[in-house]
Amino acid sequence: AHIWQDFAVEVAPYYRVLGLDQRGHGESGWPLHGEYEYSHFMADLDAVFENLSIERAVLVGHSLGGRVCMLYAGEHPEKVAGLVIVDSAPELDARGTTRIQMDVGQHRDPSFASVSEYEQMLLHNYPAAPPAVIANMAKHSLKQREDGRWILKMDPALRGAVGTTETPEQLAEREKDTSQALWDALEKVACPSLVVRGATSDIMSADVADRML
């Protein structure tokens, strides 16, 4: 959730702002049996609403979070006062998914000698990002192992470091079903919505962004 830190500071004078570490991310726990279906993420979000007595909220989500927000807004329109989707879509650009798959394949369970080493990798991967933002991302994305090296706080299962039993064909079929569910959810969204796409995004194509409006 620290990726939203600068944004939160700007809007906090006007809104109650909450940043959620989704399961398997940040300081949140890792489910014992790899329960990372979208239904699990949506149940977590619903639990936040219930436990914090939130009746309605504006949801802002990026990447995986954006997809969770789309599905939640479609299923619970009465709870969502506004929706902001950042570089996330029902259909993902093959350029971006291929890049991510290659990165995961080359670094299935990465470790680093220091936070600075990871920061330098991020600077190389995201040259347009402000260095201060990258430094904050690096600082809050890692935890130190007993041998002194630094590893990602993200559950390796989310990166594919833990092998899946599904074939490529089954994964493709799953993504097809997810895509349709997301399009169906967007049809049900009743609140004001904003779709944000990075100008050079290789995850969210301009065509798909236009179709989401």
Side-chain angles (χ1 to χ4, degrees):
H2 282 283
I3 194 69
W4 296 102
Q5 186 169 304
D6 292 338
F7 170 80
V9 168
E10 294 297 325
V11 299
Y14 313 101
Y15 299 94
R16 179 190 183 191
V17 183
L18 302 172
L20 173 64
D21 277 344
Q22 297 196 87
R23 58 173 59 204
H25 296 73
E27 303 303 324
S28 289
W30 299 358
L32 293 177
H33 305 292
E35 294 92 342
Y36 288 122
E37 300 291 341
Y38 283 102
S39 59
H40 297 125
F41 289 108
M42 290 172 63
D44 291 342
L45 184 54
D46 212 29
V48 171
F49 271 73
E50 181 177 349
N51 284 280
L52 297 181
S53 301
I54 299 171
E55 295 184 2
R56 297 182 79 220
V58 175
L59 298 181
V60 184
H62 166 257
S63 190
L64 169 63
R67 285 185 147 196
V68 174
C69 288
M70 284 182 246
L71 292 169
Y72 193 86
E75 186 167 315
H76 302 285
E78 75 285 355
K79 294 184 178 182
V80 182
L83 180 64
V84 182
I85 304 301
V86 183
D87 233 31
S88 183
E91 297 175 24
L92 303 179
D93 193 317
R95 295 173 301 160
T97 57
T98 300
R99 170 180 57 79
I100 293 170
Q101 288 168 359
M102 291 177 62
D103 176 64
V104 171
Q106 294 171 1
H107 310 92
R108 297 194 69 82
D109 195 8
S111 67
F112 307 90
S114 64
V115 174
S116 178
E117 181 184 347
Y118 180 55
E119 182 181 340
Q120 291 305 309
M121 188 186 82
L122 291 175
L123 285 168
H124 174 76
N125 291 343
Y126 304 103
V133 172
I134 292 294
N136 186 62
M137 184 189 303
K139 175 183 176 182
H140 293 288
S141 296
L142 301 178
K143 60 182 178 181
Q144 197 164 25
R145 221 163 45 187
E146 290 184 0
D147 64 1
R149 292 188 65 80
W150 295 82
I151 58 174
L152 295 174
K153 292 180 179 178
M154 181 188 292
D155 186 349
L158 282 166
R159 287 181 52 85
V162 176
T164 177
T165 59
E166 292 182 300
T167 66
E169 291 76 17
Q170 289 172 321
L171 290 170
E173 188 64 27
R174 176 197 285 265
E175 177 59 22
K176 180 180 177 181
D177 292 343
T178 297
S179 177
Q180 187 58 57
L182 287 161
W183 284 120
D184 291 345
L186 287 177
E187 290 287 340
K188 300 173 185 175
V189 173
C191 62
S193 302
L194 175 66
V195 175
V196 181
R197 175 184 178 269
T200 60
S201 174
D202 64 357
I203 288 292
M204 182 186 198
S205 72
D207 174 66
V208 170
D210 288 341
R211 288 164 56 197
M212 293 170 66
L213 300 176

